[in-house]
């Protein structure tokens, strides 16, 4: 995502600067003047572009999400790849996952969040479980994938071991969900 050669004031540099600040400090802790300075703008220009710090935060979340593709979650077999892709993304650059955690804590709907009902319905149908149970399965998978990143950034050589552990955990989650139906 990073484009260090972006010209000052460009939308790419604004969002890259906002990602850096918001992922570290959240919405409440971030300062617009710090984001503006990193982006080569003044605070007034940033407010003119976005209207408020909250709108900048929400736009930053949408921008960050537009650069990601974890895959689909329509069948139980999709869950493993989804979790591993999420893990890899977080290992490469944990700022986006941290931004999403802040967004969740602040009560923002994450991009694609409105589509969770359809995702859980498809997964539930594939696994023969209720949509509510499917939502719990997805939550467990996501939690398993991001926990190692959030609590301690793994060393690159350990990523393969983490991927294998995440895959095994997802298989265990799926097997348990199917057995409980």
């Amino acid at each position: 995502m990073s484009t260090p050669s972006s010209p000052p004031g460009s939308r790419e540099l604004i969002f890259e600067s906002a990602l850096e600040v918001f992922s570290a400090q959240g919405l409440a802790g971030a300062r617009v003047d710090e984001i503006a300075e990193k982006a080569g703008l003044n605070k007034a220009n940033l407010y003119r572009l976005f209207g408020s710090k909250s709108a900048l935060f929400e736009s930053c979340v949408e921008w960050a999400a537009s650069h990601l593709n974890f895959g689909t979650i329509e069948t139980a077999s999709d869950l493993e790849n989804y979790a591993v892709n999420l893990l890899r993304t977080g290992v490469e650059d944990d700022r986006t996952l941290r931004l999403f955690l802040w967004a969740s804590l602040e009560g923002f709907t994450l991009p694609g969040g409105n589509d969770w009902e359809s995702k859980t319905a498809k997964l539930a149908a594939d696994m023969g479980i209720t949509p509510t149970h499917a939502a719990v399965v997805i939550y467990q998978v996501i939690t398993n994938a991001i926990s190692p990143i959030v609590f301690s950034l793994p060393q690159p050589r350990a990523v393969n071991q983490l991927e294998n552990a995440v895959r095994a955990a997802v298989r265990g989650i799926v097997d348990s969900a199917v057995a409980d139906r």
Side-chain angles (χ1 to χ4, degrees):
M1 256 185 266
S2 180
T3 53
S5 61
S6 295
S10 71
R11 286 190 83 72
E12 188 76 13
L13 186 56
I14 291 169
F15 286 132
E16 188 63 38
S17 301
L19 175 64
E20 183 178 330
V21 175
F22 284 135
S23 68
Q25 301 168 19
L27 176 60
R31 291 184 16 248
V32 173
D33 57 334
E34 182 181 357
I35 296 168
E37 183 181 321
K38 288 178 181 294
L41 292 171
N42 65 41
K43 186 174 167 177
N45 284 340
L46 210 50
Y47 275 112
R48 193 169 20 82
L49 288 168
F50 294 94
S52 68
K53 181 167 75 166
S54 182
L56 173 58
F57 182 83
E58 188 171 3
S59 294
C60 182
V61 169
E62 290 170 5
W63 171 82
S66 74
H67 289 77
L68 302 176
N69 181 9
F70 301 134
T72 60
I73 306 176
E74 294 182 356
T75 67
S77 60
D78 294 336
L79 288 169
E80 237 180 270
N81 289 331
Y82 183 88
V84 168
N85 289 338
L86 185 58
L87 172 71
R88 286 181 187 152
T89 298
V91 168
E92 290 169 11
D93 185 356
D94 70 330
R95 298 176 306 161
T96 299
L97 295 181
R98 290 182 188 281
L99 178 70
F100 289 171
L101 288 173
W102 281 114
S104 293
L105 291 170
E106 295 286 350
F108 284 83
T109 299
L110 295 175
N114 297 332
D115 193 32
W116 281 107
E117 193 172 310
S118 114
K119 288 177 183 174
T120 56
K122 289 177 183 176
L123 182 62
D126 178 67
M127 294 178 68
I129 58 178
T130 67
T132 301
H133 198 172
V136 170
V137 168
I138 292 171
Y139 174 79
Q140 289 174 326
V141 166
I142 291 171
T143 302
N144 258 287
I146 66 172
S147 293
I149 300 157
V150 172
F151 297 111
S152 65
L153 194 59
Q155 298 299 317
R157 67 182 180 278
V159 172
N160 286 340
Q161 292 171 330
L162 275 175
E163 284 180 15
N164 291 335
V166 165
R167 286 182 189 282
V170 169
R171 284 191 297 274
I173 291 166
V174 169
D175 290 347
S176 175
V178 170
D180 288 346
R181 60 180 160 172

